[in-house]
Every structure is written in C-alpha cells, then in structure tokens.
Coordinates of all heavy atoms in Angstrom, one line a residue:
M1 N 107.2 122.8 97.6 CA 107.9 124.0 97.6 C 108.3 124.4 96.3 O 109.0 123.6 95.5 CB 109.1 123.9 98.6 CG 109.8 125.3 98.7 SD 111.2 125.1 100.0 CE 112.3 124.1 99.1
T2 N 107.9 125.6 95.8 CA 108.3 126.2 94.6 C 109.5 127.1 94.9 O 109.4 128.1 95.5 CB 107.2 127.0 93.9 OG1 106.1 126.2 93.5 CG2 107.8 127.8 92.7
A3 N 110.7 126.6 94.5 CA 111.9 127.3 94.8 C 112.1 128.6 94.0 O 112.5 129.6 94.5 CB 113.2 126.4 94.6
G4 N 111.6 128.5 92.8 CA 111.6 129.7 91.9 C 112.9 130.5 91.9 O 114.0 129.9 91.8
K5 N 112.8 131.8 92.0 CA 114.0 132.6 92.0 C 114.9 132.5 93.2 O 116.0 133.2 93.3 CB 113.6 134.1 91.7 CG 112.8 134.7 92.7 CD 112.3 136.1 92.3 CE 111.4 136.7 93.3 NZ 111.0 138.1 92.8
G6 N 114.4 131.7 94.2 CA 115.3 131.5 95.3 C 114.5 131.5 96.7 O 113.7 132.3 96.9
I7 N 114.9 130.4 97.4 CA 114.2 130.2 98.8 C 115.1 129.6 99.7 O 115.9 128.8 99.3 CB 112.9 129.4 98.6 CG1 112.1 129.5 99.9 CG2 113.2 128.0 98.3 CD1 110.6 129.0 99.8
M8 N 115.2 130.1 100.9 CA 115.9 129.5 102.0 C 115.0 128.8 103.0 O 114.0 129.4 103.4 CB 116.7 130.6 102.8 CG 117.7 131.4 101.9 SD 119.1 130.4 101.4 CE 119.9 130.1 102.9
H9 N 115.3 127.5 103.4 CA 114.4 126.8 104.2 C 115.2 125.8 105.0 O 116.3 125.4 104.7 CB 113.3 126.1 103.4 CG 113.6 124.9 102.8 ND1 112.9 123.7 102.9 CD2 114.7 124.5 102.0 CE1 113.5 122.7 102.3 NE2 114.5 123.1 101.7
S10 N 114.5 125.3 106.1 CA 115.0 124.2 106.9 C 113.9 123.2 107.0 O 112.7 123.5 106.9 CB 115.5 124.7 108.3 OG 114.3 125.2 109.0
E11 N 114.3 121.9 107.2 CA 113.3 120.8 107.4 C 113.8 120.0 108.6 O 114.9 119.4 108.5 CB 113.2 119.9 106.2 CG 112.4 120.6 105.0 CD 112.2 119.7 103.9 OE1 113.2 119.3 103.4 OE2 111.1 119.4 103.5
F12 N 113.0 119.8 109.6 CA 113.4 119.1 110.8 C 112.4 118.1 111.2 O 111.2 118.3 111.1 CB 113.7 120.0 112.0 CG 115.1 120.6 112.0 CD1 115.4 121.7 111.3 CD2 116.1 120.0 112.8 CE1 116.7 122.2 111.3 CE2 117.4 120.4 112.7 CZ 117.7 121.6 112.1
N13 N 112.9 117.0 111.7 CA 112.0 116.0 112.4 C 112.0 116.4 113.8 O 112.9 116.0 114.6 CB 112.6 114.6 112.2 CG 111.9 113.5 113.0 OD1 110.8 113.8 113.5 ND2 112.4 112.3 113.0
R14 N 110.9 117.0 114.3 CA 110.8 117.4 115.7 C 110.0 116.4 116.5 O 109.5 116.7 117.6 CB 110.1 118.8 115.7 CG 110.9 119.8 114.9 CD 110.6 121.2 115.3 NE 111.2 122.3 114.5 CZ 112.5 122.7 114.8 NH1 113.2 122.1 115.7 NH2 113.1 123.6 114.0
E15 N 109.9 115.2 116.0 CA 109.1 114.1 116.6 C 110.0 113.3 117.5 O 111.2 113.5 117.5 CB 108.5 113.2 115.6 CG 107.8 113.9 114.5 CD 106.7 114.9 114.9 OE1 105.8 114.5 115.7 OE2 106.7 116.0 114.5
D16 N 109.4 112.4 118.3 CA 110.1 111.5 119.2 C 110.4 110.2 118.5 O 110.9 109.3 119.2 CB 109.3 111.3 120.4 CG 109.1 112.5 121.3 OD1 110.0 113.4 121.3 OD2 108.0 112.6 121.9
E17 N 110.2 110.1 117.2 CA 110.4 108.9 116.4 C 111.1 109.2 115.1 O 111.1 110.4 114.7 CB 109.1 108.1 116.2 CG 108.1 109.0 115.4 CD 106.8 108.2 115.2 OE1 106.8 107.0 115.4 OE2 105.9 108.9 114.7
E18 N 111.6 108.2 114.5 CA 112.2 108.4 113.1 C 111.1 108.8 112.2 O 110.0 108.4 112.3 CB 112.8 107.1 112.6 CG 113.4 107.1 111.3 CD 113.9 105.7 110.9 OE1 113.1 104.9 110.6 OE2 115.2 105.6 110.9
T19 N 111.4 109.7 111.2 CA 110.6 110.1 110.1 C 111.2 109.6 108.8 O 112.3 109.6 108.5 CB 110.5 111.6 110.0 OG1 109.7 112.1 111.1 CG2 109.8 112.0 108.6
T20 N 110.2 108.9 108.0 CA 110.6 108.5 106.7 C 109.8 109.3 105.6 O 108.6 109.5 105.8 CB 110.4 107.0 106.5 OG1 109.1 106.7 106.6 CG2 111.2 106.2 107.6
L21 N 110.5 109.6 104.5 CA 109.8 110.4 103.5 C 110.5 110.2 102.1 O 111.6 109.7 102.0 CB 109.8 111.9 103.9 CG 111.1 112.5 104.2 CD1 111.8 113.0 103.0 CD2 110.8 113.8 105.1
F22 N 109.7 110.5 101.1 CA 110.3 110.6 99.8 C 110.4 112.1 99.5 O 109.5 112.9 99.7 CB 109.4 110.0 98.7 CG 109.3 108.6 98.8 CD1 108.1 107.9 98.6 CD2 110.4 107.8 98.9 CE1 108.0 106.6 98.6 CE2 110.4 106.4 98.9 CZ 109.1 105.8 98.8
Q23 N 111.5 112.6 99.0 CA 111.7 113.9 98.5 C 111.9 113.9 96.9 O 112.8 113.2 96.5 CB 112.8 114.8 99.2 CG 112.7 116.2 98.8 CD 113.6 117.1 99.7 OE1 114.8 117.4 99.2 NE2 113.2 117.4 100.8
I24 N 111.1 114.6 96.2 CA 111.0 114.5 94.7 C 111.1 115.8 94.1 O 110.4 116.8 94.5 CB 109.6 113.9 94.4 CG1 109.4 112.5 95.0 CG2 109.4 113.8 92.9 CD1 108.0 112.0 95.2

C-alpha cells in the first residue's frame, strides 16, 4: 500500500483461524 498523500483503510482476518503476518 502506497499511503502517499493519504489513504484510509481497514484490514481484517475474515478467516476461521488465526492469521500471522509481518507488516513492514
């Protein structure tokens, strides 16, 4: 995601299990 001059977003785990991730 290029936030640039501004962005609004959401991030959801819509799965039936835990999600693991790296956010960089």
Side-chain angles (χ1 to χ4, degrees):
M1 185 173 72
T2 294
K5 61 186 178 182
I7 192 168
M8 300 291 293
H9 81 130
S10 62
E11 286 183 302
F12 273 87
N13 173 12
R14 302 196 182 281
E15 312 305 308
D16 295 328
E17 60 180 348
E18 179 182 75
T19 287
T20 64
L21 55 82
F22 292 135
Q23 191 169 97
I24 299 159

